[in-house]
Amino acid sequence: MVDLTKGQKLSLSKAGGGSLTRVSMGLGWDAVAKGFLGRRKSIDVDLDASCLLFDASGQLVDTAWFQQLRSKDGSVTHTGDNLTGEGEGDDEVIVVDLPAVPERVVSLVFTVNSFTGQDFSSIENAYCRLLDTAQPQAVELARYRLTGSGSHTAQVMAKLSRDGSGWSMTAIGQPASGRTFRDLLPAITPHL
């Protein structure tokens, strides 16, 4: 497992040769507990993970997000919307069947945004991670810690790009503002 830093690129070729076939991107977070006079309470924060599929000219081809849980071609699936970040482990997961991604798609960009509008100072323990899910037991390949505080309400997390016959991942970590992926398109464009 590699702990990624902003801008770092990771090849997704398997150590013994070949390339990955099925990966998932997990997003996890907790709401910050705030208190007054000894009482601590966390406010629900609804973060949303999205996967955007782009062609070589930078045009958005398709998406998988909480309002469309499956890309039209079926290669990318969002497993469902978590409205609070409650629970252990990944709160939202996007699964990608890499061989099924249409050839015209050259980049998959993963984003996270606060649908409820709270900024990232309202969350803690936030991360995204990439797993090889073609194995009987999923293997974590990389983890990227999201900035846990700040006045931004969204982040362009990472990008999977075609790399020869395989794929590579780049940790982007670009703070942005917006409640859905549509608001983030201007922040994504420089990373395509």
Side-chain angles (χ1 to χ4, degrees), residues 6-151:
K6 186 175 179 174
Q8 185 177 356
K9 188 174 180 178
L10 171 70
S11 172
L12 299 183
S13 296
K14 291 187 176 185
S19 58
L20 297 175
T21 58
R22 187 175 171 89
V23 296
S24 68
M25 183 69 77
L27 167 67
W29 77 94
D30 296 314
V32 172
K34 297 186 179 190
F36 183 72
L37 298 176
R39 289 195 242 174
R40 294 185 58 79
K41 181 180 179 185
S42 58
I43 306 298
D44 290 344
V45 177
D46 179 8
L47 293 186
D48 290 319
S50 302
C51 179
L52 296 90
L53 292 75
F54 291 92
D55 67 15
S57 66
Q59 293 299 307
L60 182 63
V61 173
D62 204 352
T63 58
W65 63 307
F66 79 91
Q67 289 187 349
Q68 179 182 309
L69 295 178
R70 191 174 183 95
S71 61
K72 293 175 185 90
D73 59 50
S75 64
V76 182
T77 304
H78 190 302
T79 61
D81 193 14
N82 181 320
L83 303 177
T84 63
E86 273 189 47
E88 294 298 314
D90 298 337
D91 297 310
E92 293 195 9
V93 177
I94 296 173
V95 179
V96 181
D97 181 357
L98 291 168
V101 173
E103 282 194 34
R104 74 182 195 141
V105 173
V106 298
S107 298
L108 304 170
V109 177
F110 295 89
T111 64
V112 60
N113 54 273
S114 173
F115 186 72
T116 45
Q118 291 106 325
D119 65 36
F120 277 30
S121 67
S122 300
I123 59 170
E124 60 186 4
N125 305 321
Y127 65 87
C128 70
R129 64 189 190 135
L130 184 73
L131 298 111
D132 177 356
T133 52
Q135 310 293 327
Q137 188 79 8
V139 175
E140 184 171 304
L141 301 169
R143 178 177 290 257
Y144 182 64
R145 299 187 194 292
L146 301 172
T147 52
S149 63
S151 59

Side-chain angles (χ1 to χ4, degrees), residues 153-177:
T153 59
Q155 192 155 20
V156 181
M157 298 188 313
K159 174 177 74 169
L160 290 181
S161 304
R162 288 196 189 270
D163 192 1
S165 62
W167 293 82
S168 62
M169 176 185 171
T170 304
I172 297 172
Q174 175 69 49
S177 294

